[in-house]
Amino acid sequence: MALPSIRAILFDVDETLYDRERAQRLVLERLPAALPELFGDIGLEAVWDAWEQSDRQTENHVYTVSDIRTSRNMRSAVFLRLLGLSEAHTNAVTDFYIETYTTVQAPIDGAAEVVAKCAARLPVGVVSNAYPDVQYGKIETLGVRHHLRCVVLSEEYGGPRKPAAEIFLHGCELLGSQPATTLYVGDSFGNDVVGALGAGLIPCWYNPRQLPAPKRETLPRFQLRTLRELLELV
């Protein structure tokens, strides 16, 4: 059922258009061959467990100091420390990660098709909590950059991160759309659904695992099990 009230669409990137977890696994699978003196004798699952822990410890950029490189090195140092390896190799791990991460193919099923078809009908953009050094690469790898009228990245535009209303409203401003007629599609209930609703946008929860809403929260009107279901809304 088409919804004439939707006049523009903003997308999240990670775990909505781009499978971040799968991409990181693909990167880590290449790590032993790239740095055999460090990781040649460590099993992939141990490497993955340490990476997940380092990612959680540095989520929401709590280690951000003065620049992107410093922040990335903080995560690499945590990763090495968890594996009992010397932090002297921090720069090597960071370099490998940045060089490799944006080259792997890890689209969410249907991402390029859905963005292209939506962009043929409505203004489309991206609002993402992310660093520009890798996020633009992901968007290029997905093959959707030319469809996007705006790309708003938390560490680039100069304002607060999702779920703050400002970042959503900045995306609407760049698209030239009113929040009340702009659909926001994202996988995170807290950052995307709650954030978009608080900014006055129409939230659409990409929820392939059909998770329940958090306690005391109401499910949004629009949910997607697959991205292609979005085409039925617009």
Side-chain angles (χ1 to χ4, degrees):
M1 179 178 64
L3 300 175
S5 61
I6 296 175
R7 295 286 181 262
I9 304 173
L10 289 167
F11 288 93
D12 173 45
V13 177
D14 291 327
E15 313 302 355
T16 299
L17 299 177
Y18 187 84
D19 191 332
R20 181 174 182 267
E21 181 175 331
R22 179 156 59 96
Q24 290 184 336
R25 277 191 172 272
L26 290 171
V27 170
L28 294 176
E29 285 175 3
R30 302 180 188 182
L31 196 54
L35 299 170
E37 70 283 3
L38 279 180
F39 300 100
D41 296 326
I42 303 176
L44 179 60
E45 285 309 307
V47 171
W48 175 246
D49 287 345
W51 186 261
E52 280 192 308
Q53 288 186 58
S54 68
D55 207 37
R56 285 195 298 272
Q57 288 185 31
T58 59
E59 68 181 347
N60 296 325
H61 304 178
V62 295
Y63 279 108
T64 300
V65 183
S66 58
D67 56 53
I68 293 173
R69 180 68 185 202
T70 301
S71 183
R72 290 215 180 280
N73 276 349
M74 289 288 189
R75 181 172 66 175
S76 297
V78 172
F79 171 61
L80 288 165
R81 190 161 61 245
L82 288 167
L83 287 171
L85 300 174
S86 171
E87 294 177 30
H89 303 287
T90 291
N91 278 314
V93 171
T94 299
D95 288 341
F96 171 80
Y97 175 79
I98 293 172
E99 291 167 6
T100 310
Y101 187 30
T102 58
T103 66
V104 299
Q105 297 290 327
I108 295 292
D109 185 45
E113 173 194 352
V114 169
V115 171
K117 289 183 176 179
C118 287
R121 306 173 192 179
L122 300 167
V124 168
V126 155
V127 169
S128 172
N129 282 351
Y131 284 143
D133 61 340
V134 295
Q135 213 69 348
Y136 282 108
K138 294 177 193 177
I139 292 169
E140 293 290 349
T141 300
L142 287 168
V144 300
R145 180 67 181 91
H146 60 293
H147 294 303
L148 304 176
R149 298 198 189 182
C150 74
V151 176
V152 180
L153 305 180
S154 60
E155 306 306 310
E156 183 176 54
Y157 90 108
R161 309 174 82 235
K162 297 184 299 184
E166 290 91 333
I167 191 169
F168 295 97
L169 297 177
H170 187 57
C172 291
E173 180 182 1
L174 293 176
L175 283 187
S177 63
Q178 294 298 313
T181 60
T182 303
L183 191 74
Y184 187 82
V185 183
D187 71 293
S188 167
F189 196 96
N191 281 340
D192 299 329
V193 174
V194 174
L197 188 62
L201 284 73
I202 306 166
C204 180
W205 191 17
Y206 174 59
N207 184 19
R209 291 181 291 170
Q210 292 200 292
L211 299 173
K215 289 183 179 179
R216 294 183 291 279
E217 296 284 357
T218 302
L219 284 170
R221 178 181 176 189
F222 303 115
Q223 289 192 71
L224 306 175
R225 294 181 62 183
T226 71
L227 282 180
R228 289 186 177 88
E229 291 175 356
L230 179 61
L231 299 176
E232 300 173 11
L233 300 179
V234 299

